[in-house]
Amino acid sequence: MSTIFQIEPFTVEQGVQPQHLAQAAQGYWRAFSRKLRYPLGPEKKAVAFLESVMDPTHAISAVSKDGAFLGMAGFKSPQGALVGGNMRDMARVYGWLGGSVRGALIQALERRCDDDTLLMDGIFVEPEARGQGVGTALLNAIEVHCARQGLRQIRLDVIDTNPRARALYERLGFAERSVLSLGPLRSVFGFSSATEMTKSLIR
């Protein structure tokens, strides 16, 4: 596990340590359960599915000096995504019928990833680690990773029910590009619109 940088009292690492994958899946569900409750719920099955399909090579994590998992930022690239999986993976957890319905709902949230862009695929900080700068450190590490890969920009979507996250992204230099309205799907996913924000790495 390579260190991107160290900030007392934690380290930001490329990937997710194997012993942290279960906690990472639980944390991802905790952070995004409102949006994913219908496509992936109930919680026990959702966490099992997430853990089975997570690709740690598409994540950056924060770990305390005593080895505790503090949070994670996932991303999508032309080579893959933090949360992937296929119909067979869905069926293994939900059955073929349940997996088909859930797969259709997940497809509604899919976003295309351009070759020159790193697309964020979720960021969260464990409750006990909040207020320590972990989220900002993870986003800074994503920028470092993006630059090392020779990519031109970072893109993310922030939903209308999370103004605190949007304020953080704006402070770190992300700018609004477009707004997508969910229309009648808002009752399924728990938010009405998502704002696409980007940050260019070309100076």
Side-chain angles (χ1 to χ4, degrees):
M1 200 69 59
S2 62
T3 298
I4 298 178
F5 49 74
Q6 187 153 356
I7 306 173
E8 291 296 337
F10 59 87
T11 300
V12 180
E13 302 177 342
Q14 191 77 42
V16 180
Q17 295 180 22
Q19 66 270 28
H20 293 155
L21 278 175
Q23 190 175 352
Q26 184 69 58
Y28 192 97
W29 171 253
R30 184 188 304 114
F32 303 108
S33 58
R34 184 175 182 183
K35 179 171 71 172
L36 298 175
R37 65 192 189 280
Y38 290 123
L40 295 185
E43 179 177 350
K44 185 176 180 179
K45 288 188 175 183
V47 173
F49 173 75
L50 289 168
E51 186 178 357
S52 72
V53 300
M54 274 188 169
D55 180 357
T57 68
H58 281 68
I60 290 169
S61 58
V63 180
S64 72
K65 60 183 178 181
D66 60 359
F69 176 79
L70 302 181
M72 177 179 71
F75 55 88
K76 182 177 182 179
S77 73
Q79 289 72 47
L82 170 65
V83 179
N86 53 35
M87 187 58 220
R88 189 175 298 277
D89 297 310
M90 296 287 286
R92 195 159 37 238
V93 176
Y94 302 101
W96 285 103
L97 179 58
S100 297
V101 173
R102 287 169 167 81
L105 289 173
I106 289 292
Q107 196 64 35
L109 296 175
E110 275 299 305
R111 300 162 295 166
R112 187 172 65 86
C113 185
D114 296 329
D115 290 342
D116 64 349
T117 300
L118 182 144
L119 179 58
M120 290 287 295
D121 192 15
I123 179 172
F124 67 88
V125 176
E126 293 290 88
E128 64 274 12
R130 291 171 187 166
Q132 300 177 26
V134 175
T136 299
L138 287 170
L139 284 168
N140 288 338
I142 284 285
E143 186 170 340
V144 170
H145 172 80
C146 193
R148 287 176 178 173
Q149 298 300 309
L151 301 176
R152 296 172 58 88
Q153 69 174 357
I154 304 170
R155 180 181 142 214
L156 56 83
D157 295 324
V158 59
I159 60 178
D160 58 346
T161 57
N162 197 356
R164 291 182 62 183
R166 174 166 180 158
L168 171 62
Y169 301 146
E170 289 175 338
R171 287 199 302 272
L172 294 177
F174 286 85
E176 177 182 326
R177 289 291 174 261
S178 63
V179 179
L180 172 67
S181 175
L182 285 193
L185 287 177
R186 63 183 180 275
S187 59
V188 175
F189 295 112
F191 62 96
S192 298
S193 64
T195 300
E196 177 185 314
M197 305 183 76
T198 61
K199 181 175 182 177
S200 174
L201 300 183
I202 305 302
R203 300 291 186 260

